Amino acid sequence: QWEFVQSGGGLAQPGGSLRLSCTASGISLDSYSIGWFRQAPGKVREGVACISNMHNPYYADSVKGRFTMSRDNAKSTVYLHLDSLKPEDSAVYFCTAVRQLDGLCAIRELRSDSWGQGTQVTVSS
């Protein structure tokens, strides 16, 4: 049974920063890529970023240059650093294991039934 527990997030002003954490259990994190997704009200869930088990990150165009993923396998935790936040970044963010090929990740969930509980990010002045 995979479990992902999220923390962080909250309210930030435009241009501000936040950090999200995702701690995994029931899974050997060092063998998997982990990704972040977000869903704003009335919109479909979209992939934001992922990081492979070889620490290779990939970012959606909408967040490239502003968001950074990192991972600490010893703590079974991945992080999403959100910088230069914009109001359109406001959403509920989710983490899960994602697909990987040849050391590179893709922001596509590996399983549909194993997601973090969701973390609200609100960017507003």
Side-chain angles (χ1 to χ4, degrees), residues 57-70:
Y58 174 83
Y59 303 97
D61 288 343
S62 58
V63 306
K64 195 174 297 182
R66 301 188 299 117
F67 291 9
T68 305
M69 276 199 74
S70 61

Side-chain angles (χ1 to χ4, degrees), residues 35-112:
W36 287 93
F37 298 73
R38 65 186 181 187
Q39 187 166 19
K43 294 189 177 181
V44 299
R45 186 174 296 184
E46 64 170 339
V48 174
C50 61
I51 188 166
S52 75
N53 67 334
M54 300 180 69
H55 297 252
N56 296 316
Y58 174 83
Y59 303 97
D61 288 343
S62 58
V63 306
K64 195 174 297 182
R66 301 188 299 117
F67 291 9
T68 305
M69 276 199 74
S70 61
R71 62 190 296 157
D72 185 341
N73 289 338
K75 296 182 178 179
S76 294
T77 300
V78 299
Y79 305 95
L80 182 66
H81 303 263
L82 298 76
D83 296 314
S84 302
L85 282 163
K86 303 176 180 180
E88 52 263 43
D89 294 320
S90 298
V92 179
Y93 285 69
F94 301 88
C95 65
T96 189
V98 296
R99 298 180 184 274
Q100 174 171 315
L101 181 64
D102 295 334
L104 300 176
C105 61
I107 320 176
R108 294 184 61 188
E109 66 269 23
L110 200 55
R111 290 172 51 171
S112 61

